[in-house]
Amino acid sequence: MTKETQHTILVYMEVQRKIDFYYKLQKITTYHELTVTPTAVISAKAEYALNTVLDVSYKPFSSQAGILYLHTNQGVFAFYIQSSPQKFIDTFRSFKIG
């Protein structure tokens, strides 16, 4: 596999809270993919050019769950994940170095 075709995908969650017709709180969870390629980091809502991403960090909560932080020149973006992001972080750093 050449560097141009390499990528790593990490699944993240978004939780949306809504009040229904009966004033009951509804939590709607959706799952999306965060992809790192040699040129960009791509989420469901945005694409960040790799040269604008400064770093990636991870804050674990418990049993593999935590928040992945994407540090960009436009701010920090958080992604709630439930699996280890180590492969994603390693791939990102290899693209930044290479």
Side-chain angles (χ1 to χ4, degrees):
M1 187 183 304
T2 65
K3 186 173 181 178
E4 290 77 28
T5 60
Q6 290 179 343
H7 66 278
T8 300
I9 296 172
L10 183 64
V11 176
Y12 69 94
M13 297 174 24
E14 284 186 355
V15 178
Q16 194 175 35
R17 293 169 179 85
K18 290 185 175 183
I19 304 295
D20 68 11
F21 182 74
Y22 301 102
Y23 299 104
K24 186 175 178 185
L25 178 66
Q26 299 289 322
K27 291 183 183 180
I28 302 166
T29 303
T30 55
Y31 295 88
H32 307 279
E33 292 181 345
L34 186 64
T35 306
V36 62
T37 69
T39 58
V41 177
I42 305 162
S43 74
K45 294 184 178 178
E47 183 172 328
Y48 310 94
L50 204 62
N51 62 353
T52 65
V53 180
L54 308 173
D55 197 13
V56 175
S57 61
Y58 174 64
K59 176 69 176 168
F61 291 142
S62 61
S63 67
Q64 301 289 330
I67 298 179
L68 180 86
Y69 294 100
L70 194 63
H71 305 265
T72 74
N73 61 1
Q74 298 175 353
V76 179
F77 299 91
F79 299 91
Y80 182 71
I81 60 174
Q82 291 186 321
S83 61
S84 173
Q86 196 57 52
K87 183 178 178 187
F88 184 91
I89 293 170
D90 292 344
T91 303
F92 166 79
R93 291 188 176 149
S94 74
F95 291 154
K96 286 296 278 189
I97 293 171

